[in-house]
Amino acid sequence: MRGIVFNMQRYSIHDGPGTRTLVFLKGCPLRCGWCSNPESQSPRPEILFEPERCSACGACVPACPEGLHSLRAGPSGTAHLVERVASCRGCGACADECPNGALRVSGRSMSVEEVVDAVMRDAPFYWQSGGGVTLSGGEATMQAAFAREVLMACRDNGVHTALETCGMADWETFRELAPHVDLFLYDIKHMDDEVHRRLTGAGNRRILDNLHGLFRMGKKVLIRMPLIPGLNDDPAGLEAAFAMLREEAARGADIAGVELLPYHRYGEGKYRQLGRAYPCGAEPYTEERLEAFKAFLAARSTEGLPLRLVRHA
């Protein structure tokens, strides 16, 4: 059993309780314009190129088996060019030969054992802090069989497990993963199906159905709501989500809290490295606007539905 992992982040304190190791899996069914990890969207490995680090030495040209790299003469001297990016297999041969780190591979094949071994290196921190492992992405459910084996192995080792998800998978996938997940970090991007489709490329009916299903199973869920200026931060839309969650909490849903994550442009540089245009034209919130959101949430937070603005994301 192997999966495609594009990053592992140790000592995280923002994606579940305690100190955690984040395992980022490739592949996502949504295309959110504000995505901060665009290298996660494709399920296959990809090459990222940082032109500011390139010396146009040409080492990558003969290394690439697909012949995608070339050098060209320009008014500023010799420049490096990557063509037919869609033909790239993500083998990493070019990155291996690049002396300046201008080329790097996003995504590599790992076995369940390799992932679990990496996770367990920090086991003492989990025991001390109540932390554990969080599977993220991309969307971890797109590699459901691999995710399930990793979660099972971590729990066998006494590690707390969390799964960060956009909710876009069939219910059977969630039903099979749920017994091995201690905490779900679950995205709600918009309550209106058509608006959700316009923002992400897919409707939200399956997402909301899966969320209700997890509540019915008694799973603990931390709700996460990205705030994107002018796209999904209108008070009426937020109130609709809060009302739905209050109803679920009144019925006994185990809601760990609701985190609102203000928009940032951290992913913009990664789009350039992938040779893609950054699709979101929104401007980050001002401090005054963020303070207004804090007041908005404070007026609506209840003991059964704690709301908070999370500035790290």
Side-chain angles (χ1 to χ4, degrees):
M1 178 69 70
R2 303 186 70 85
I4 305 299
V5 179
F6 75 91
N7 192 17
M8 295 187 72
Q9 180 179 317
R10 304 166 69 190
Y11 313 123
S12 174
I13 59 172
H14 299 304
D15 298 275
T19 302
R20 312 189 70 80
T21 295
L22 273 57
V23 181
F24 294 87
L25 304 184
K26 284 274 274 173
C28 184
L30 303 183
R31 291 296 180 268
C32 306
W34 58 87
C35 181
S36 59
N37 290 319
E39 76 275 29
S40 73
Q41 294 173 359
S42 170
R44 61 183 178 82
E46 296 173 280
I47 295 294
L48 280 74
F49 172 53
E50 299 182 56
E52 61 273 13
R53 303 184 69 172
C54 178
S55 63
C57 69
C60 58
V61 177
C64 178
E66 303 296 327
L68 306 182
H69 300 266
S70 61
L71 299 179
R72 64 180 175 184
S76 301
T78 303
H80 168 261
L81 180 67
V82 185
E83 299 178 288
R84 298 183 293 110
V85 176
S87 300
C88 177
R89 294 187 284 110
C91 68
C94 60
D96 290 341
E97 296 300 322
C98 180
N100 304 311
L103 295 160
R104 64 183 177 92
V105 182
S106 174
R108 64 187 179 101
S109 175
M110 295 185 69
S111 69
V112 172
E113 293 76 16
E114 288 172 326
V115 171
V116 175
D117 284 348
V119 169
M120 293 307 297
R121 291 173 195 162
D122 293 324
F125 295 100
Y126 311 149
W127 314 149
Q128 294 168 12
S129 67
V133 64
T134 299
L135 298 193
S136 186
E139 173 53 45
T141 61
M142 286 192 69
Q143 299 188 54
F146 180 74
R148 179 175 178 271
E149 294 298 317
V150 170
L151 292 167
M152 289 177 62
C154 288
R155 290 191 102 199
D156 286 346
N157 281 280
V159 175
H160 180 278
T161 60
L163 178 69
E164 186 174 15
T165 178
C166 70
M168 180 55 74
D170 60 85
W171 170 245
E172 185 64 20
T173 294
F174 279 100
R175 191 187 68 79
E176 292 183 358
L177 288 172
H180 315 293
V181 178
D182 295 308
L183 173 68
F184 281 91
L185 284 64
Y186 204 101
D187 286 1
I188 295 180
K189 296 179 172 68
H190 206 285
M191 289 295 291
D192 184 274
D193 183 72
E194 286 305 314
V195 175
H196 193 281
R197 188 179 304 278
R198 187 166 67 249
L199 295 178
T200 71
N204 68 359
R205 293 173 184 171
R206 175 179 289 185
I207 293 170
L208 295 177
D209 285 346
N210 288 336
L211 177 60
H212 296 313
L214 292 175
F215 287 149
R216 298 291 85 77
M217 290 183 73
K219 302 304 298 185
K220 181 180 288 292
V221 181
L222 174 65
I223 301 297
R224 286 184 151 184
M225 302 175 64
L227 284 178
I228 316 301
L231 297 182
N232 71 343
D233 61 347
D234 60 290
L238 295 174
E239 290 279 17
F242 299 159
M244 179 272 289
L245 294 170
R246 287 194 189 95
E247 291 179 5
E248 287 286 359
R251 286 194 286 265
D254 191 355
I255 302 177
V258 182
E259 295 183 344
L260 279 74
L261 290 73
Y263 168 73
H264 56 69
R265 299 178 70 94
Y266 297 163
E268 186 173 8
K270 295 180 182 179
Y271 277 91
R272 288 196 298 270
Q273 293 169 22
L274 289 167
R276 295 163 53 188
Y278 185 58
C280 187
E283 290 294 327
Y285 291 102
T286 63
E287 287 298 321
E288 292 78 9
R289 187 79 173 102
L290 290 175
E291 289 301 317
F293 267 118
K294 285 183 181 179
F296 173 80
L297 296 178
R300 288 156 179 81
S301 189
T302 64
E303 184 175 344
L305 191 68
L307 309 171
R308 68 190 186 104
L309 196 71
V310 181
R311 298 288 297 278
H312 65 80

